[in-house]
Amino acid sequence: MGNVLIVVEANTNGSLRKATLNAITAGHQLAKATGGDVHAIVLAKDATALAEAVKEYGVKVVHAASAPQLEHPIAENWAPAIAAAATAIGAEWVGAGATAIGRDVLPRVAAKLKAPMASEILSVDGSGADVTVTRPMWAGAVIATVKLAGAVKCFTARTTEFAAAEKSGAGEVKAFAAPAADKQYSKFVDFKEVKSARPALTEARVVVAGGRGTKGDFKPIEGLADELGAAVGASRAVCDAGWQPNDLQIGQTGKVVAPALYVAAGISGAIQHVAGMKGSKTIVAINKDGDAPIFQIADYGLVADLFKAMPELQAAIKATK
Ligand SMILES: Cc1cc2nc3c(=O)[nH]c(=O)nc-3n(C[C@H](O)[C@H](O)[C@H](O)COP(=O)(O)OP(=O)(O)OC[C@H]3O[C@@H](n4cnc5c(N)ncnc54)[C@H](O)[C@@H]3O)c2cc1C
């Protein structure tokens, strides 16, 4: 019986984070493949309210670990509790969304459980003892099929590859007594939230991204984004130049997005950028170089100067409203 334990994340207002719903779907697929149940663990100063919300998503038991040291997602504090819960329920798989928190906490959980780990899984295949997962390697140039050995295995799930779990019957909430934290190497100091009127980059239906071709002038990008109710993204060249903040970076070393529509303007289409956006449903590229590699993956390509084409596009969309 391969039970699955999913680590729950909260938004800053305490609500359930969408990335967790994607991870729960990965959990359901693993549980189906291995004949177990999906469990979840909420770690917080007071985990009760969030645990009550999570139990609606086809989760059999939500383990509510409430303790002062669990208030912030620090790996040394969270990992011992997650590992203990995994052992208590006989979990075969322990996972989370491939978010900054999931990427930080799950490797430590894997080390504590002496378990193998697959990062950023894209799919679950097979069943029983033959379950495999796929994961990207070399900036997504290669998709590896991985079979993990051992009684317990860890994973993070790429959130763009698993649909958000839907409400499907309520499970139960059980209090879980968290063990002591590991030796502290890091401590929570401060949290400054970046407030934006635009949608969050990883959750937006439409993303308009600019590259070095903007020469740092993002007005045409922001104008079209606001016309479309879209999030703004950027290539690494833009963030490295300090033209836009790092949290807008899309790609191998930035965020992975898969919106319904991705507009890339003045972006050449380097493999490391494409790794973060090629799952987008429709890709529109605007570049003045007709040989730019971005056109190889674009559904619609416009060979044009972005400073001319973007305002025209914005005006044309406005005229249809
Ligand atoms: C280990 C590693 C990790 C990396 N991680 C990332 C990552 O996460 N994300 C990422 O983006 N990159 C990443 N990179 C960098 C990547 O290799 C590229 O250097 C980067 O993506 C280039 O950004 P760009 O397309 O904006 O710039 P460029 O490659 O310089 O392209 C600019 C494009 O703009 C076009 N252009 C210029 N003027 C105009 C105009 N007026 N109108 C229209 N088009 C115009 C040009 O024709 C050109 O195609 C990484 C690199 C390494 C080595």
Side-chain angles (χ1 to χ4, degrees):
M1 267 268 290
N3 283 336
V4 181
L5 180 66
I6 300 295
V7 179
V8 175
E9 287 182 50
N11 294 310
T12 45
N13 65 3
S15 63
L16 180 56
R17 199 170 164 193
K18 187 178 158 281
T20 295
L21 295 178
N22 305 115
I24 288 175
T25 296
H28 281 307
Q29 293 181 10
L30 283 164
K32 196 170 164 211
T34 54
D37 292 310
V38 176
H39 292 236
I41 181 164
V42 177
L43 306 109
K45 199 169 162 190
D46 182 352
T48 326
L50 187 55
E52 288 293 332
V54 176
K55 75 176 190 191
E56 307 288 329
Y57 293 90
V59 176
K60 190 166 187 229
V61 182
V62 186
H63 304 271
S66 303
Q69 80 271 17
L70 301 176
E71 182 175 5
H72 303 294
I74 294 171
E76 293 102 304
N77 297 7
W78 275 29
I82 297 164
T87 305
I89 65 161
E92 181 176 344
W93 289 88
V94 185
T99 60
I101 293 170
R103 287 176 182 142
D104 185 32
V105 172
L106 261 293
R108 195 177 185 94
V109 174
K112 291 191 89 65
L113 292 170
K114 298 194 172 23
M117 170 148 179
S119 299
E120 304 251 354
I121 67 165
L122 309 173
S123 67
V124 175
D125 304 290
S127 63
D130 294 321
V131 171
T132 56
V133 294
T134 57
R135 60 174 301 261
M137 291 172 69
W138 295 311
V142 174
I143 304 298
T145 299
V146 185
K147 188 170 175 189
L148 299 183
V152 52
K153 301 128 184 143
C154 293
F155 71 97
T156 54
R158 185 171 279 191
T159 54
T160 53
E161 299 298 317
F162 296 93
E166 293 189 8
K167 292 192 177 172
S168 58
E172 60 173 323
V173 172
K174 278 189 186 162
F176 181 77
D182 286 345
K183 184 170 180 243
Q184 296 283 281
Y185 292 99
S186 43
K187 118 174 165 214
F188 177 85
V189 177
D190 192 15
F191 180 77
K192 286 199 181 79
E193 190 175 6
V194 180
K195 291 236 189 281
S196 168
R198 298 195 181 99
L201 193 48
T202 49
E203 277 159 38
R205 278 194 72 253
V206 182
V207 172
V208 182
R212 203 190 321 252
T214 62
K215 296 177 184 66
D217 178 1
F218 256 52
K219 277 197 242 35
I221 308 292
E222 290 167 351
L224 184 62
D226 290 341
E227 199 61 54
L228 293 168
V232 167
S235 71
R236 177 158 161 181
V238 165
C239 300
D240 282 356
W243 294 339
Q244 292 291 324
N246 286 324
D247 61 342
L248 294 194
Q249 185 182 316
I250 292 165
Q252 183 191 344
T253 43
K255 290 187 171 139
V256 178
V257 300
L261 173 63
Y262 188 88
V263 182
I267 293 178
S268 61
I271 180 178
Q272 297 91 350
H273 183 80
V274 169
M277 46 65 76
K278 71 172 172 213
S280 306
K281 304 281 171 300
T282 302
I283 297 170
V284 174
I286 301 168
N287 196 304
K288 67 179 185 187
D289 174 8
D291 292 328
I294 191 81
F295 288 124
Q296 290 166 18
I297 58 150
D299 299 288
Y300 299 94
L302 186 60
V303 180
D305 183 335
L306 73 90
F307 291 101
K308 191 168 175 292
M310 302 282 280
E312 283 175 6
L313 207 53
Q314 187 185 338
I317 292 166
K318 192 170 187 171
T320 65
K321 287 185 177 169

